Amino acid sequence: STFFLEGVPFSYSTGRTFAQRLVTYLLPKLEVWAKEKSDIHIYEVGAGLGVLSKTLLDLLHQDHPNIYRKVKWHVSEYSENTVTFFKRLSLFDSHHDRIEIEQMNVLKPAMKSDQRPHVVLMSYVLDSLNPRHFEVVDGVVSELQVETLISANAQIFDTTVFPPCLLKAEEIQ
């Protein structure tokens, strides 16, 4: 079993089981949208390796061809280098007429007015954004400052590399 077959515990969000559950969840809405004249625009923001998008497109093509023919899939990443890399990959060749690979900043998404999203997928993207905290007291909105502290004996691993490695204190700051 490999990473792409969910053999690694942290790969569940790119695997076939998760993708099938997403299709099942989205199917009632997709069936309604498929009856409309316009395309169904689905965006994966921060697509990583693109495996989730590829698997979802494969499932729609295989099990729901009428919906698949209406889908316009947008795979996006923040990094221009990653977008260039995606465009060179053969991963999406079988879906070339259904997919757009584009650079996008999740904080300032720029979608064409005729390509507004029906669905937006973000695995781990929201977790990576800086949070802002607000409180309302007597109708007045105020932003709070929150301090996050890490225990001196905490061990934090960088799982963006393989094998994961333990980060040093100066690398975390």
Side-chain angles (χ1 to χ4, degrees):
S1 185
T2 66
F3 175 85
F4 298 105
L5 296 176
E6 301 178 279
V8 177
F10 54 83
S11 70
Y12 72 91
S13 63
T14 60
R16 194 167 182 85
T17 300
F18 182 71
Q20 184 60 61
R21 288 181 179 157
L22 274 176
V23 168
T24 301
Y25 176 77
L26 294 172
L27 197 55
K29 278 300 214 183
L30 294 172
E31 289 171 335
V32 170
W33 293 326
K35 294 175 185 172
E36 297 174 5
K37 289 184 180 182
S38 60
D39 286 334
I40 302 168
H41 291 275
I42 300 177
Y43 287 77
E44 184 177 11
V45 178
L49 297 173
V51 176
L52 179 61
S53 285
K54 167 73 164 102
T55 306
L56 288 165
L57 282 163
D58 289 345
L59 288 169
L60 289 174
H61 183 262
Q62 172 188 315
D63 300 334
H64 308 283
N66 290 339
I67 293 171
Y68 174 81
R69 285 190 290 275
K70 295 285 293 187
V71 165
K72 188 66 169 181
W73 205 279
H74 303 262
V75 174
S76 70
E77 264 297 335
Y78 178 75
S79 161
E80 186 176 336
N81 290 338
T82 305
V83 171
T84 302
F85 173 73
F86 266 135
K87 289 180 178 179
R88 291 184 188 147
L89 283 179
S90 60
L91 181 68
F92 296 110
D93 284 357
S94 60
H95 305 292
H96 70 278
D97 59 334
R98 299 283 92 212
I99 195 155
E100 278 190 33
I101 301 169
E102 50 204 26
Q103 184 179 7
M104 183 184 298
N105 178 347
V106 70
L107 297 176
K108 297 178 185 174
M111 293 141 178
K112 298 175 186 167
S113 61
D114 63 336
Q115 296 181 351
R116 295 188 188 238
H118 290 80
V119 176
V120 176
L121 303 170
M122 291 188 270
S123 297
Y124 307 114
V125 172
L126 292 179
D127 292 346
S128 69
L129 300 176
N130 291 326
R132 295 178 71 185
H133 302 274
F134 298 91
E135 91 177 331
V136 179
V137 177
D138 297 327
V140 177
V141 178
S142 301
E143 185 169 7
L144 303 174
Q145 290 186 330
V146 177
E147 181 179 26
T148 302
L149 301 173
I150 299 174
S151 170
N153 61 354
Q155 291 186 322
I156 299 176
F157 289 86
D158 181 355
T159 60
T160 63
V161 297
F162 189 82
C165 63
L166 184 61
L167 293 173
K168 297 177 183 141
E170 58 271 9
E171 295 173 310
I172 298 170
Q173 297 179 14

